[in-house]
Amino acid sequence: MIEFKGVSKVYPNGTVALNDIDLFIEKGEFVFILGHSGAGKSTLLKLMMREEKATKGTIVVGNYNLTKIKNRQIPYLRRRMGFVFQDFRLIPNLTAYDNVAFAMRVTNIPSREIRKRVPYILHLVGLSNKSRVYPEQLSGGEQQRVALARALAHNPPIIVADEPTGNIDPELSYEIMELLSEINRLGTTILVVTHEQEMVKNFHKRTIKLEDGNILFDTGKQGSTT
Amino acid sequence: MNWGSFKYLVKQGISNIWINRLMSFASIGVLSACLVLIGGAMLLSLNVREVFYKVEGQNEIRAFIEDDVTDKEMEELRVHIEKMDKIATYKFISKDDALIEAQDMMGVDPEEGIFEDYKYGNPIPANYIITLKDISDTQEVIDELEALPMIYKANALMSVVETLTGMEKVLLMFGGIIVLVLVLASLVVISNSIRLTVFARRREINIMKYVGATNGFIRLPFVVEGVLVGLIAAVMAFLMLLGIYEGINYIVDESSVGILASIKASSIAFSEVWMWVLIGFAGGGTFIGALGSSGAIRKYLKV
């Protein structure tokens, strides 16, 4: 599903963000990418969504070989993934419903399907009763659930969450992680990037730890924490 | 792209104009002012050309023929003039006709006028009235004619010729520069105005990029915005120009000054050109709007 083979990324200023990384994530896995800031987590994600190009090595996501992908194919690659960000990135002047619908609309999904799917997704993340509410009236946890709903809207096989609980109260963080586990049980591959060691410990999922651009350890599929 | 998305994007473009109404208003103002100036300059130049052609038509070369040319030489001269390709028309005036013409011009009675004194010989030479295809060739044709032995003098109102050709050149050059500067100014203003919309919507654009919207999709509302600004400016410019043109015509009509009346006589009616003006404005506005907007968004598509 996701494969990194001998991948290095060196930024133009000389910073080595990733150093000869090998990584394989199977379909349906739930993986934590753990590491301090500067360990190379963000670079890993940027390479996956092809915001950046690898300096060396090959990356494959689904059917796309990112070393060979053409610029005009990038939007289609991104439709195979759902992104959740630390800062939610919701549009403030759109309701929860419209934030989710917006993501579907801009990828050419017919209105009829949008009207059917958005309520279902909002139900899935437990926000059915808040669909007409604007982001600023929602708590951090609720906003992140809207963002998650948006990531799920076009039914991607992969969800990538970048510090999804970074801006949320600890007790609500668990709700979000539970929700991600639930989505994983339904068959979606999940990648969660985090620096919260505690969270990782409590969930007993495969964990890959990055440090200074190298993989420090990888617990392997469905492994326990070390 | 399906019809629903297209409708959605066009709606977005229209609402962009409203959300960003102050800048939209400014762009429409600047662009329509530019279009009015461009259109005005073109109409002015068309009118000047029209007057120009009238004068050009009247502007003729007179080639006076020596009194002692033989019939054979006369025929040679005719053949020579016939062959000169810069000449549009020519007309022979015999000595007798030339005399009558001169008398007419002075308003004297042939029976008792000043020409009575010349009953022993007609002093007016036979001549050719020559008009040219291009007025700027005047001097060249005069030189060629005067080189012929049968001609003792050829002349034209050179000052008129020089003024007119000079005026046309200056008009074309300045008109061109002004139009170029105005087009660039409109481009900058529209592009900046749309850049503001893009900036206000950068968060949405960013999200669109991450959820996999294509660049064309992201660009379309802004192009719609630019094109719409262009079209609104075109219609406004058209109405303004119509008002100005008719206003000037009205003033000229009312005026009793002779020269204005003669200009009026050779001016082009707005009803003859309105369609070209409107098409030109709409095309120009659309083009400038679309170009300005696609320039404005380029930077934000690189994510």
Side-chain angles (χ1 to χ4, degrees):
Chain A
M1 182 105 269
I2 301 168
E3 190 177 11
F4 280 61
K5 235 190 259 169
V7 172
S8 295
K9 175 67 188 175
V10 183
Y11 285 104
N13 65 7
T15 314
V16 181
L18 287 178
N19 185 16
D20 198 21
I21 296 280
D22 288 304
L23 186 61
F24 185 77
I25 295 168
E26 265 181 68
K27 189 177 182 324
E29 273 195 273
F30 189 120
V31 180
F32 281 115
I33 310 271
L34 188 63
H36 302 291
S37 58
K41 303 178 310 239
S42 307
T43 301
L44 194 81
L45 292 191
K46 279 180 181 164
L47 290 177
M48 268 183 64
M49 42 190 164
R50 192 47 173 65
E51 202 178 319
E52 295 283 351
K53 264 181 167 171
T55 316
K56 222 184 81 208
T58 41
I59 304 169
V60 176
V61 176
N63 300 324
Y64 294 95
N65 183 339
L66 303 204
T67 25
K68 288 180 187 156
I69 192 170
K70 291 191 179 72
N71 277 342
R72 59 183 166 76
Q73 286 179 298
I74 295 174
Y76 302 95
L77 161 76
R78 291 183 183 168
R79 288 180 201 182
R80 306 291 292 160
M81 294 185 264
F83 299 101
V84 178
F85 303 94
Q86 181 172 9
D87 57 359
F88 319 135
R89 300 203 190 170
L90 299 176
I91 300 167
N93 54 352
L94 294 183
T95 62
Y97 179 97
D98 286 328
N99 262 287
V100 179
F102 171 78
M104 297 178 76
R105 208 166 276 140
V106 300
T107 47
N108 272 327
I109 296 170
S111 306
R112 198 149 36 90
E113 206 179 319
I114 295 174
R115 279 195 297 274
K116 246 193 298 180
R117 182 138 176 100
V118 178
Y120 167 75
I121 301 280
L122 285 174
H123 171 76
L124 200 70
V125 298
L127 284 176
S128 289
N129 55 340
K130 303 255 165 122
S131 68
R132 294 288 159 212
V133 175
Y134 289 90
E136 60 173 9
Q137 299 162 288
L138 293 168
S139 73
E142 285 168 332
Q143 288 188 48
Q144 194 58 299
R145 279 190 276 160
V146 175
L148 188 54
R150 182 182 62 197
L152 290 167
H154 48 284
N155 203 16
I158 305 167
I159 292 279
V160 178
D162 186 9
E163 303 274 6
T165 57
N167 280 342
I168 300 174
D169 296 338
E171 57 267 36
L172 293 174
S173 297
Y174 273 88
E175 277 182 32
I176 294 289
M177 292 317 279
E178 285 294 351
L179 201 52
L180 284 168
S181 301
E182 183 58 37
I183 291 158
N184 178 237
R185 271 192 284 280
L186 295 172
T188 308
T189 308
I190 309 249
L191 232 80
V192 178
V193 169
T194 183
H195 65 273
E196 291 173 71
Q197 204 109 27
E198 284 304 306
M199 171 84 70
V200 174
K201 267 186 194 156
N202 285 313
F203 273 87
H204 304 287
K205 305 283 189 190
R206 177 179 174 187
T207 306
I208 295 163
K209 175 144 186 173
L210 285 178
E211 203 169 279
D212 298 329
N214 296 297
I215 293 179
L216 197 64
F217 64 76
D218 181 349
T219 59
K221 196 182 174 187
Q222 304 295 319
S224 58
T225 48
T226 45
Chain B
M1 186 177 302
N2 59 49
W3 175 239
S5 313
F6 186 75
K7 250 185 355 195
Y8 168 77
L9 290 177
V10 171
K11 227 188 279 171
Q12 286 288 310
I14 294 168
S15 82
N16 277 353
I17 291 186
W18 182 244
I19 289 166
N20 198 11
R21 52 192 168 277
L22 199 68
M23 269 317 274
S24 304
F25 186 72
S27 333
I28 290 171
V30 171
L31 184 57
S32 54
C34 289
L35 287 173
V36 164
L37 284 172
I38 293 169
M42 279 178 171
L43 282 181
L44 181 71
S45 124
L46 269 179
N47 273 307
V48 167
R49 275 182 158 262
E50 194 72 11
V51 173
F52 189 80
Y53 283 132
K54 286 233 160 117
V55 177
E56 196 166 9
Q58 291 159 7
N59 194 69
E60 54 204 25
I61 295 175
R62 285 268 179 162
F64 298 99
I65 301 163
E66 301 275 9
D67 274 348
D68 56 2
V69 292
T70 61
D71 286 352
K72 190 173 159 260
E73 282 172 325
M74 203 62 125
E75 180 56 20
E76 272 171 33
L77 178 63
R78 199 194 63 76
V79 170
H80 189 95
I81 291 173
E82 170 88 51
K83 280 186 184 152
M84 286 171 72
D85 56 4
K86 292 191 170 88
I87 288 173
T89 65
Y90 65 94
K91 188 179 163 204
F92 178 72
I93 311 283
S94 67
K95 277 183 78 74
D96 291 346
D97 290 341
L99 183 63
I100 291 167
E101 189 189 50
Q103 286 169 340
D104 277 353
M105 214 155 67
M106 292 173 167
V108 290
D109 187 337
E111 294 305 313
E112 52 182 276
I114 47 167
F115 295 107
E116 270 299 289
D117 297 343
Y118 295 109
K119 51 193 163 203
Y120 303 110
N122 178 355
I124 310 289
N127 57 66
Y128 271 105
I129 301 176
I130 290 163
T131 60
L132 300 177
K133 286 176 186 154
D134 186 345
I135 197 165
S136 56
D137 293 328
T138 306
Q139 191 57 54
E140 221 178 303
V141 172
I142 286 177
D143 290 345
E144 187 175 342
L145 289 170
E146 283 189 336
L148 296 169
M150 300 78 105
I151 302 284
Y152 79 89
K153 179 133 193 72
N155 60 26
L157 289 171
M158 276 313 282
S159 61
V160 176
V161 173
E162 275 158 16
T163 312
L164 283 177
T165 42
M167 222 161 79
E168 194 187 19
K169 266 188 203 140
V170 170
L171 206 75
L172 275 178
M173 200 176 72
F174 273 92
I177 291 170
I178 288 171
V179 166
L180 199 73
V181 168
L182 290 177
V183 166
L184 283 178
S186 320
L187 264 178
V188 168
V189 171
I190 286 206
S191 168
N192 269 329
S193 151
I194 288 172
R195 207 159 286 172
L196 277 187
T197 322
V198 172
F199 187 74
R201 293 197 170 237
R202 65 193 183 286
R203 188 194 276 268
E204 283 161 64
I205 292 172
N206 183 270
I207 293 164
M208 283 160 97
K209 288 294 289 183
Y210 282 121
V211 299
T214 56
N215 286 348
F217 194 100
I218 297 172
R219 205 181 284 127
L220 192 68
F222 300 101
V223 174
V224 167
E225 181 184 354
V227 166
L228 220 58
V229 163
L231 283 178
I232 294 171
V235 171
M236 282 184 53
F238 177 77
L239 294 175
M240 276 192 271
L241 194 62
L242 175 71
I244 292 168
Y245 202 82
E246 292 302 324
I248 290 174
N249 265 347
Y250 179 75
I251 292 167
V252 171
D253 269 349
E254 294 294 290
S255 160
S256 53
V257 183
I259 182 131
L260 286 182
S262 71
I263 289 172
K264 167 72 183 163
S266 54
S267 76
I268 301 164
F270 202 75
S271 58
E272 280 175 47
V273 289
W274 73 269
M275 216 158 82
W276 297 113
V277 172
L278 193 59
I279 290 170
F281 279 8
T286 306
F287 177 72
I288 291 176
L291 198 67
S293 62
S294 48
I297 188 160
R298 192 171 305 137
K299 181 178 132 194
Y300 288 91
L301 292 177
K302 286 184 193 147
V303 176

